[in-house]
């Protein structure tokens, strides 16, 4: 518990944006495909920089979300076994300073060693999130968003494209909250 309090600090339980509707509307899903040559370039970049694709996906999502809000927030990252780990990001000017390397270092050195803590325990500490991410997982984030312990307004999933050509599909599911 002490380690999670240090990691999450004063991170709020929700990403707040000015334009969000107070009531959840119908669920919408949008998918983009990153072609195989771009996917290869991303993997080469990660390999050369010695960062994980998880850190790359977290960084890309963090950068995207900062276009909508400069407040602090956490992304709930789903693991292969279905557990959720919170990854916090700072707000304000300092929130935009994270590089992919600092995200990777925080992920591997601070967050992963605490990843066995159940999400319900973290929720009992007063933390949570409304944005989730699944990276190259055989489990779907939409299966988890209905859980009573989670209120997810935006679920993002990075998976290998079903075409088998090396592309990545990124799905965005919004309106998934209760």
């Amino acid at each position: 518990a002490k380690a999670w309090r240090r990691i999450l600090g004063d991170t709020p339980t929700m990403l707040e944006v000015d334009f969000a509707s107070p009531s959840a509307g119908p669920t919408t899903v949008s998918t983009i495909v990153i072609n195989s040559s771009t996917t290869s370039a991303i993997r080469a970049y990660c390999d050369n920089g010695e960062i994980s694709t998880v850190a790359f996906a977290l960084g890309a999502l963090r950068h995207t979300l900062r276009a909508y809000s400069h407040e602090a927030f956490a992304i709930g990252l789903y693991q292969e076994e279905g557990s959720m780990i919170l990854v916090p990001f700072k707000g304000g000017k300092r929130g935009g300073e994270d590089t992919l390397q600092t995200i990777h270092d925080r992920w591997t050195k601070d967050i992963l060693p605490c990843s066995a803590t159940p999400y319900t325990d973290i929720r009992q500490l007063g933390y949570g999130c409304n944005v989730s991410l699944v990276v190259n997982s055989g489990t779907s984030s939409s299966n988890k968003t209905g859980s009573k312990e989670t209120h997810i307004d935006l679920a993002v999933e990075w998976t290998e494209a079903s075409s088998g050509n090396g592309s990545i599909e990124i799905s965005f599911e919004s309106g998934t909250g209760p």
Side-chain angles (χ1 to χ4, degrees):
K2 186 177 182 181
W4 277 111
R5 287 189 196 280
R6 179 185 53 77
I7 292 168
L8 294 167
D10 60 357
T11 304
T13 60
M14 295 183 73
L15 170 67
E16 298 289 341
V17 291
D18 295 336
F19 59 84
S21 169
S23 62
T27 299
T28 59
V29 179
S30 299
T31 301
I32 61 171
V33 177
I34 299 177
N35 65 38
S36 60
S37 62
T38 303
T39 299
S40 293
I42 290 170
R43 288 186 176 127
Y45 176 84
C46 291
D47 290 345
N48 291 337
E50 297 182 3
I51 62 170
S52 67
T53 53
V54 169
F56 186 90
L58 283 165
L61 183 54
R62 185 242 353 144
H63 184 76
T64 302
L65 294 174
R66 279 197 48 87
Y68 298 98
S69 174
H70 288 276
E71 300 301 319
F73 63 93
I75 295 172
L77 180 67
Y78 280 106
Q79 298 296 288
E80 290 290 332
E81 67 280 358
S83 63
M84 183 190 285
I85 301 171
L86 293 183
V87 181
F89 292 96
K90 296 178 183 116
K93 288 183 180 181
R94 295 197 59 219
E97 296 174 356
D98 280 334
T99 65
L100 292 175
Q101 189 64 56
T102 58
I103 292 169
H104 174 79
D105 290 347
R106 187 164 24 114
W107 168 245
T108 57
K109 295 174 184 171
D110 296 335
I111 298 170
L112 271 181
C114 300
S115 64
T117 305
Y119 182 68
T120 52
D121 291 358
I122 296 168
R123 292 280 300 162
Q124 288 176 354
L125 296 173
Y127 297 105
C129 67
N130 64 335
V131 176
S132 69
L133 175 65
V134 175
V135 179
N136 289 330
S137 172
T139 58
S140 171
S141 59
S142 60
N143 292 336
K144 298 168 190 76
T145 57
S147 165
K148 290 182 180 174
E149 67 188 45
T150 339
H151 171 98
I152 300 298
D153 292 317
L154 176 65
V156 180
E157 190 167 353
W158 285 53
T159 57
E160 297 291 326
S162 57
S163 63
N165 67 358
S167 299
I168 294 175
E169 290 181 0
I170 305 174
S171 297
F172 301 86
E173 183 178 349
S174 62
T176 58

